[in-house]
Amino acid sequence: MDFATKASNLIKAYYGFKNKNEGSLHDIIIETCQLFDMAIEKDLTQGDYCFLRYMASEIGIPHYIDLLIKKKQRYTENYNLSDFGAIVQDSELFVTDDVMLHRYQKEVYNRFIIDEQNRFFLSAPTSFGKTYLVYQVITKMKYNNIVLIFPTIALLGENYLKILEMKKKSAFWAQYDIHTLSDEEFAQGKNIWIFTPERFMSYLDKHNSQDFDFIFIDEIYKIDNQYIIDIETIGENERDIAFRVALFDACLRAKDILLAGPYIMFPNENSKNCSLKYFLNDNGFEILDCNDIEIVDKATLKVNEKKLYEDKKLRFTIRNNDTKKKLETIVKAIQSDSEESSEKGIIIYCKRKIETENIAKYLIKSLIKIDDIHDDLLCFINHLSEKFGTDWIVANALRYGIGIHHGLVPKYIQREIINLFNKGLISILITTTTITEGVNTTAKNMIVMSSEKGSKPLKHFDAQNIAGRAGRFKSHFSGRVISIDNEFFKILEDDGDCLKHKGYDKESIKTDVDLDITKNEYLSLNDKSRKEKIANAVKESGIPDSIINTFKTISKLDKIELFKRIRQMNKDDRVIVLEFCQHLYYYFDWDGFDVICRLLLGLVKDSSLKSLMNTYTNKGHFLLTAKVYYYIISGFMGVLSNEISYYNSKKDSAIRNSAALIFNTFRYQLSKYLGLFDLYFRYDISLRTGEDMEKVPGLSVLIQRLEYGCITEKAKKANDYGVPFSIVTYYETNDSTLLKKFDQYENNVFNRIKEIL
């Protein structure tokens, strides 16, 4: 179809929609995207530009014309009266002198009204710009105390940096103190807390009287375990509990709340499960369903047999049924057929972490090394090769323009790989579902290798999220989704499941933790009996509310059992643990940690942590004790060295195993249980001696090292931002001699972050 015919059809469709309510807004936006995509290749007249400007203005996305002009480059703007009419219409989308929203963002923005309660549940595609919108809402509403809750440390760090940059440029944002650590002191004045759900709960444990004006929770679908994306992440099956508890607390502590996520299915009158509807009604939320506002077109291509495939800008022939051979053919075609760098970006989705690395190894054999490596990329490659070795696939793949991104690549490396990809310095990103966790990428092409995540089929929601990463607003009019797995598009076309809230579903199986945050009307008879039993056990234990109500994601029965064990400790063990706590800053006593492990045995639910507590070293210590020791003494590299020498592991698997241990097991699981032990142990000593429990030596130093990798405030913030381990060590020790040992990449990162810190 030529440009004129496409434009004519769009006009008919648009006026049919506008005047007769025919078709859908989604179709009109997609048709407009496709027309703009065609316009890039066409020699446009002034009339063409006038029409395109008019259509962009009519559908409420004037940003399209700006992108077109940017891509055409040689265009000189000459306005006529029609153009001025569109510009006047577009002016209504400005919320500040230099910030223009698209119409559908502006509609959400307008729903927030000062001095009223504003509670909304927003579902919209990945390209909608939800987080960007949040910043504009804050500017409008002028809140004093704000909490932004993100699902990952990586997103926490990314938004921390954004706000720090805004503070430099804007007097409004400069008013706020920014907090990312859960153990900071009670704040006065204007504040923004940027937390994960776990840190939010930890902060509330310490500051139970704190209230907030506005809370934003991103990726809110994680309240429902069936929507949890990364099936391979250790402890991921417990994150739904953390999200539900954080949401419960948010509803009690803030008048205005915005919950957001992509492609969420809401219940209707025919839905079998209306638990989400009950939650929304009970807590005064209004649904903002923008799922149809897909502002970047998605062209789809199913590659399932040997034949010629082509779309308007891509042509290739499949001659082999081998999956990897198909991938190789597609990658080479995209890289050779795409003229501008923004069209060459490719994300390859794999179902497992190990498969991202295997695919990279395969492509390396057929792709040519980058001849003229950009200084930024070369600097990073040299850093990884020196620190981790040239035999690590993540370092080696970068020489071929390939980045590997999964949950067990250290965070600062993930961050840098995304930066290099978005700059066009590498053109291929091989990833698991981590790419759908709010990571901002600029990629025209998404190649799907599997319709599974781990060993389970993708859900409709997963498939939408993966496909949604093809094309990026303000970079592309159209993305391209190519699937080598026949089932992927079937899943994409199926009806999805409604999001559920376990606390508002009487039929759901509830954990002990859920019982605490569920109203009686949504509890079964068995649930009510269990809840009463727990309440009686708490009363009999004599543990005060201020103690029992902390660490909310752990069952109260487990807390009571731990307290009983601590109370029954023999004198020798109690002395060993006290000495362990007293000397912890300078010395890690294996025997002392073994005692703590024995007291926690049977209470820990996480399978990886349980395994480490049920395995012993040659000298009879818990394997967990040894692992913690190597981490405390030498950090990530100490654990990695032990993994390679003790297990004779190959580099790729050794780094994955070390990252899983540190970033999942230690950070989320072990730190939680040690925090619980620390609280109840100090409480017990206080009861025995009459000493203020705040003055009793505890495990704070160890817990901070496990959760943050460090103990000083600057080091913690550097770690959240995402920097090499050596820079965290510098801020931890303040040892200026370390600066002389930085390589070029470390120096570059240090110079960027030192002004911030």
Side-chain angles (χ1 to χ4, degrees), residues 718-744:
N719 192 49
D720 280 351
Y721 171 75
V723 300
F725 308 132
S726 56
I727 296 177
V728 176
T729 302
Y730 164 74
Y731 280 114
E732 181 80 335
T733 62
N734 204 26
D735 182 357
S736 59
T737 63
L738 294 176
L739 297 175
K740 299 175 184 178
K741 299 178 182 178
F742 284 177
D743 60 31
Q744 184 182 346

Side-chain angles (χ1 to χ4, degrees), residues 151 165 205 229 327 368 370 467 552 633 647 755:
E165 290 296 325
D205 283 347
I229 289 181
L327 174 65
I368 300 171
I370 302 172
K552 292 180 181 176
I633 297 303
Y647 297 100
E755 184 181 347

Side-chain angles (χ1 to χ4, degrees), residues 403-417:
I404 296 171
H405 189 285
H406 59 64
L408 298 183
V409 174
K411 305 303 178 188
Y412 84 89
I413 300 173
Q414 287 186 37
R415 177 189 177 87
E416 193 61 48
I417 286 173

Side-chain angles (χ1 to χ4, degrees), residues 245-519:
V245 174
L247 177 58
F248 175 82
D249 281 335
C251 291
L252 296 177
R253 293 174 181 273
K255 184 178 75 169
D256 289 8
I257 303 173
L258 178 61
L259 311 176
Y263 306 114
I264 291 170
M265 296 285 293
F266 295 103
N268 55 39
E269 61 274 6
N270 298 318
S271 299
K272 293 180 181 178
N273 189 300
C274 292
S275 57
L276 182 66
K277 178 181 175 182
Y278 301 147
F279 161 77
L280 296 173
N281 292 342
D282 194 41
N283 291 279
F285 283 92
E286 186 175 344
I287 292 173
L288 302 177
D289 187 349
C290 299
N291 286 326
D292 274 350
I293 312 300
E294 187 73 75
I295 56 181
V296 178
D297 179 33
K298 302 289 185 285
T300 59
L301 192 61
K302 180 166 66 175
V303 178
N304 61 354
E305 57 184 285
K306 293 186 283 184
K307 67 174 188 179
L308 171 68
Y309 293 87
E310 56 186 330
D311 64 16
K312 57 188 175 183
K313 294 183 181 179
L314 181 66
R315 179 186 176 94
F316 59 88
T317 301
I318 296 296
R319 296 187 170 89
N320 192 303
N321 280 327
D322 180 77
T323 299
K324 290 179 180 176
K325 285 284 186 184
K326 290 179 181 178
L327 174 65
E328 178 187 343
T329 299
I330 297 165
V331 167
K332 286 181 175 179
I334 291 171
Q335 292 192 328
S336 61
D337 289 1
S338 303
E339 294 181 5
E340 60 173 293
S341 59
S342 68
E343 302 288 305
K344 293 183 178 181
I346 303 169
I347 299 176
I348 301 171
Y349 167 72
C350 299
K351 65 181 179 179
R352 287 192 178 95
K353 298 171 181 65
I354 192 170
E355 290 182 17
T356 64
E357 299 175 5
N358 290 338
I359 290 292
K361 290 171 185 175
Y362 177 84
L363 288 177
I364 281 172
K365 295 176 184 176
S366 60
L367 298 179
I368 300 171
K369 281 186 179 180
I370 302 172
D371 285 332
D372 186 19
I373 298 181
H374 190 280
D375 287 346
D376 289 350
L377 176 55
L378 182 60
C379 173
F380 186 54
I381 291 172
N382 290 340
H383 164 77
L384 294 183
S385 299
E386 175 65 27
K387 300 297 179 185
F388 298 93
T390 55
D391 56 336
W392 187 29
I393 182 57
V394 172
N396 193 25
L398 289 168
R399 296 185 182 277
Y400 296 82
I402 299 172
I404 296 171
H405 189 285
H406 59 64
L408 298 183
V409 174
K411 305 303 178 188
Y412 84 89
I413 300 173
Q414 287 186 37
R415 177 189 177 87
E416 193 61 48
I417 286 173
I418 293 295
N419 287 340
L420 293 167
F421 182 73
N422 286 340
K423 289 177 182 177
L425 302 185
I426 58 175
S427 58
I428 300 171
L429 191 63
I430 310 177
T431 179
T432 60
T433 48
T434 54
I435 203 64
T436 66
E437 297 273 357
V439 177
N440 292 318
T441 53
T442 304
K444 169 83 172 181
N445 307 282
M446 168 62 78
I447 303 176
V448 180
M449 300 295 293
S450 175
S451 61
E452 297 178 325
K453 51 177 180 180
S455 59
K456 295 185 177 182
L458 290 169
K459 290 184 175 291
H460 174 71
F461 166 78
D462 304 320
Q464 283 185 300
N465 247 319
I466 292 166
R469 295 293 153 178
R472 181 164 176 80
F473 182 48
K474 298 185 181 179
S475 295
H476 308 102
F477 296 116
S478 177
R480 183 187 287 125
V481 183
I482 303 172
S483 179
I484 297 175
D485 187 313
N486 293 343
E487 295 300 312
F488 180 77
F489 287 125
K490 292 180 183 177
I491 294 170
L492 197 59
E493 291 161 6
D494 286 345
D495 293 332
D497 296 321
C498 290
L499 187 69
K500 299 173 185 175
H501 191 306
K502 187 180 285 190
Y504 287 81
D505 178 11
K506 198 169 185 177
E507 303 302 318
S508 70
I509 299 172
K510 297 177 179 64
T511 66
D512 288 358
V513 174
D514 283 306
L515 298 180
D516 263 351
I517 58 173
T518 302
K519 292 184 174 181

